[in-house]
Amino acid sequence: MPPPLVRFLPLALLLLGCWAIRTSLFITNTLTGCPIEGSGRQIFNAEPGIDTATNFDVVLKHTEGNGWKMWDRQKSLSRDRVSCNYRRFVPRFAPEKNVTMCLHDPDVDVISGDIAEFGRWKYCDALVVEYQHAASFFRKEKASGRRKLFYIEAGANIGSCVLEMLLSTNAEIIAFEPDPRNLAQLTTTLMAMDPAYRNRVALFPIALGSERGSSTIHTAADNRGNALVGQPVPDYKNQMFLPPVQISVEALDDLIDLNDGDVAFPLIKMDVQGFECRVIDGMRKVLGATSSVKSEAESKLLAANGCSVEGMLQRLRDARFADTELDKSGDILARKYSRRKGSFLDRHRYQKSVNK
């Protein structure tokens, strides 16, 4: 019979391996069988048909407003016939789940061109990692009666990050995109996918702002990602814009029900071309139940809307995000948790803000 320590060596090695995987950036528990701490199910690589029940009825106050309705997932949103340049979208963390994506002309549109060349929009990779870590800390904070978790995306464009999150995580996604020309591509892509994926997306054909109202969307002809609410701001001199389109604007706080603290948002992603400060002003309650925010922060675009990078940072600090920084891409990344410490920062004030 082997010595006692030798007998327990295989178990020790297995536990060590699980710990190493769980604390790494890219958790692949489907390959190892190691559970994610605080989670009753895997986050990565969910198969169609598994756990398809959604919780949107718990979190959404309204699914329609003045002149708009949430997408019904029954057909694509298009005023005219959709012109698609079809390419394969290959998610970074689940390449085997590649799907056909409806793009704009890759020779004209920047994001479509990158997806056509590389199979995905690489910016979205970091969102999966951030969501994973933020979600795991939420589950640690409230193990009993697990909170219902949602990913929010303001400025979905043609859906590059929506698809990455949809295929690489189990997140339920609440997305906002006001430009009907982008909505046509996004909903055409989603309609071609398994309903188990499609049903995990609550898509609103509106812009977010500080209050309810209406405006116009101004979209650059050669960069559909440069779509601005209220006024055109060119990327370069003499950039051409498509005809402006009338849109509806809503405050996120008017659409989301925090349900007495039983819902939470591990990550909110914003890419709204200078409208970020107004979006933040309209979601102060939701930010109380949010652990991470990743947002574009371009000085020229913010200035056109009467704000600044420092103005964005201060708003997030006021919302109890204790860790705010500009990341390598120049975006703002704000967190209420510390991956180094393994717990939420400023725990008392955080719990107080959630329970208001």
Side-chain angles (χ1 to χ4, degrees), residues 112-164:
S112 295
D114 263 31
I115 295 172
E117 181 176 357
F118 302 111
R120 70 184 196 281
W121 182 243
K122 294 181 180 180
Y123 170 90
C124 309
D125 295 357
L127 299 176
V128 175
V129 178
E130 185 63 30
Y131 179 88
Q132 157 65 22
H133 283 287
S136 69
F137 285 114
F138 258 123
R139 294 188 178 100
K140 288 179 185 177
E141 290 297 308
K142 190 174 183 180
S144 60
R146 187 180 64 191
R147 283 195 184 118
K148 299 172 180 65
L149 304 181
F150 302 87
Y151 164 73
I152 295 178
E153 180 162 332
N157 197 261
I158 61 172
S160 51
C161 292
V162 167
L163 286 183
E164 189 67 60

Side-chain angles (χ1 to χ4, degrees), residues 14-15 17-19 21-22 27-36:
L14 175 62
L15 293 175
C18 288
W19 175 84
I21 291 168
R22 193 164 58 220
I27 297 177
T28 55
N29 63 318
T30 54
L31 299 179
T32 64
C34 300
I36 295 175

Side-chain angles (χ1 to χ4, degrees), residues 208-210 229 249 272-280 302 305:
L208 291 179
S210 58
V229 176
V249 182
V272 292
Q273 300 301 99
F275 218 60
E276 285 83 4
C277 290
R278 299 194 190 189
V279 174
I280 293 172
L302 288 165
N305 286 280

Side-chain angles (χ1 to χ4, degrees), residues 71-108:
W71 181 48
D72 62 9
R73 309 183 187 93
Q74 300 301 310
K75 60 182 180 180
S76 63
L77 293 175
S78 176
R79 296 177 178 177
D80 304 300
R81 183 177 179 181
V82 182
S83 177
C84 289
N85 190 297
Y86 287 107
R87 300 296 174 91
R88 298 302 291 178
F89 179 90
V90 185
R92 166 66 177 81
F93 301 103
E96 73 282 2
K97 295 182 184 177
N98 60 89
V99 297
T100 300
M101 186 174 184
C102 173
L103 305 179
H104 295 301
D105 185 347
D107 294 328
V108 176

